[in-house]
Structure formats: structure tokens, C-alpha cells
Amino acid sequence: MKYASKSIASKWRKTGWMLGDSSLRPFVPETRLFGRASLEAMLSRYAVVYFKPSRGTGGKKISRIERIKAGSYRLKGTGGNRSGLSADELYARLKSLAGGKQYLLQRGIDLAHTGGKPFDLRVMVQKDGSQWVTTALFAKIGKKGRVVTNYHSGGKVAGFKKTMKGAGYSESSAGEAQRKLGQIGEATGQCFDRHRDGFREIGLDVAVDKAGRYWVLEANTRPQYYPLKSVDRSAYRRITDYAKKYGRVKGRRK
């Protein structure tokens, strides 16, 4: 069976869809297209801003911008680390990194920690007929000093319940978080369906801040889940069972 799930590469388009949905808007951090005016506006509002390509996967080419003090900034990530940049120097550096391609500026979230390390969550939703269902939740724990938590950037995949326990969640509060995250994931699937037909799987990257709020950093329409196999085999099998129905997985997967 041929792979039969729609995929959208543009993060800007997907973010726009979510911002246009009243039920999802509260969970989307402020995001703007990169430009001189938008950079100045974002840095005037937030101490940390992320600079990332509108198209791209695996946490590649993402940089973290920190406001050290008024008029002085630190840039970390793609292209190395630079500190003490003026606003003009920062803009020139980012423009060079963008290379004429579309980039986004996104409000930085002060991530919750588990075992002393920052983490975010992957919420996997898939189609069962016409209904979206949550098939897996797992965590991505960041490596010290890295800009992103992605597996390909040195992070590691971990179980949801264990991660939330390490972040100070009780069993009941972790269960409530699981229900809420599933609702956000399924609402995202329904939102995307209103804009375009053919989606069968979505993987949300969701940050949990230190106040316990959820923030959807990105919606992936061709989400990776293979590292989950070594962490939660039953969840991995559940995902692949659904994926077989739309051709993502061929043959038998154990």
C-alpha cells in the first residue's frame, strides 16, 4: 500500500491554522515571520526567542537568541555561539543564516525539568476511520547545553509517566496532563482536517513550562517515532498498527 497521509512542510502555514482555531490559540506561543521589525518586536517582549526555518525537521538550523541586557544579545546554535551582539549585528547574522529562505521567530518557553534536564513532549495522534485518536505520548529530554531536545541533536526519548514523575507530577496530575494533551492533539487533527483533506498522522511537539502550561511548538505531519521502540514497545506497536492502514509501515513490524 502506498503511503497515504498528507504532509505539509511549512511551519508557518500550520502555525497559522492553529492560531485561527480558538480552542488551540491559547497553546501556541507567539510566532512571527523573521524580519527586522518582527525581530525588534519579539526581543522587546521576550528575553528568549527561537529562530528556526519554516521548513525543516529534526531540530536542525535552530538558534536561540537571548537578551543579555538592553541592546546586547547572545546567539547560540547554528553557526556557533556569539555573545554581546548589537541589534544590528544580530539581525545581520540571522539574515545571513536564513540565506533568503523563510525563517520564523518564536517566543522561547522556559521548559520544565525532569532529573535536572529540560524536556518537551511528543503527542502522537492518528486517524481511526474519520476520528483522531491519541496513540502515544512520550518525552524528549534535552542534552545539557543544546538548543533543542531532539533525538538527532543529542536528546533522548523517555517514557511519559516516568518523565512527569521526575518533573514533580503526582500519578493523578500526570493522568490529567495525559488527558489534556490528548485533547490538544486530537483538536489539532480536527483543525487540520478543516483546511485540507488527507491527514492521517500528526506529531505535536509540546513544551511544558515551569508553571505547568502547555505550548505547542510545532505540528509534524510526517512525525518520527522510531526511537520510541526501545522505550515503550507497546506504544510503538500501537502506532505502527495504525500506520499500516495508510501505508506508512509495510509488512510486519515487531
Side-chain angles (χ1 to χ4, degrees), residues 7-21 28-35 38-39 42 49-57 101-107 191-192 195-196 216-221:
S7 183
I8 298 290
S10 172
K11 296 181 179 70
W12 181 238
R13 179 176 295 178
K14 291 179 285 188
T15 298
W17 290 353
M18 289 186 286
L19 287 171
D21 187 305
V28 182
E30 184 172 1
T31 305
R32 299 192 186 190
L33 282 174
F34 168 67
S38 59
L39 178 64
M42 291 291 279
V49 173
Y50 280 86
F51 174 74
K52 61 184 185 180
S54 182
R55 294 170 180 263
T57 60
K101 295 182 179 179
Q102 189 177 72
Y103 268 68
L104 307 179
L105 298 167
Q106 187 174 75
R107 171 188 175 180
C191 169
F192 280 27
H195 289 274
R196 191 163 295 184
V216 179
L217 304 178
E218 191 173 324
N220 304 277
T221 51

Side-chain angles (χ1 to χ4, degrees), residues 42-178:
M42 291 291 279
L43 290 174
S44 70
R45 297 188 66 178
Y46 307 112
V48 175
V49 173
Y50 280 86
F51 174 74
K52 61 184 185 180
S54 182
R55 294 170 180 263
T57 60
K60 298 174 183 176
K61 298 184 179 180
I62 295 178
S63 296
R64 174 186 169 99
I65 307 163
E66 298 177 41
R67 186 177 67 233
I68 302 171
K69 59 183 180 180
S72 181
Y73 306 94
R74 179 182 294 115
L75 181 64
K76 183 176 183 180
T78 302
N81 302 332
R82 301 193 179 195
S83 191
L85 295 170
S86 68
D88 287 341
E89 290 170 333
L90 175 63
Y91 173 71
R93 180 60 181 158
L94 294 176
K95 186 176 180 181
S96 175
L97 289 173
K101 295 182 179 179
Q102 189 177 72
Y103 268 68
L104 307 179
L105 298 167
Q106 187 174 75
R107 171 188 175 180
I109 303 301
D110 191 11
L111 296 178
H113 285 59
T114 184
K117 295 180 180 179
F119 72 94
D120 62 24
L121 302 168
R122 168 59 59 88
V123 181
M124 186 77 182
V125 294
Q126 293 168 280
K127 267 284 185 65
D128 183 12
S130 62
Q131 299 296 315
W132 286 96
V133 296
T134 305
T135 50
L137 285 170
F138 57 94
K140 296 174 292 173
I141 301 176
K143 188 175 182 179
K144 187 176 180 180
R146 294 296 178 92
V147 170
V148 295
T149 60
N150 297 69
Y151 178 79
H152 296 294
S153 299
K156 70 173 186 177
V157 172
F160 174 77
K161 290 183 178 179
K162 183 178 180 180
T163 299
M164 298 304 278
K165 182 178 181 180
Y169 282 67
S170 66
E171 186 174 347
S172 62
S173 60
E176 178 57 33
Q178 185 172 358

Side-chain angles (χ1 to χ4, degrees), residues 203-219:
L204 292 185
D205 290 331
V206 181
V208 183
D209 68 19
K210 291 182 178 178
R213 287 191 63 184
Y214 306 120
W215 298 95
V216 179
L217 304 178
E218 191 173 324

Side-chain angles (χ1 to χ4, degrees), residues 3 25 27 36 60 76 78 85 90 98 118 136 185 198 216 225 236 239 252:
Y3 178 64
R25 192 180 306 122
F27 303 106
R36 184 63 181 260
K60 298 174 183 176
K76 183 176 183 180
T78 302
L85 295 170
L90 175 63
V216 179
Y225 58 86
Y236 177 81
I239 292 171
R252 187 178 180 183

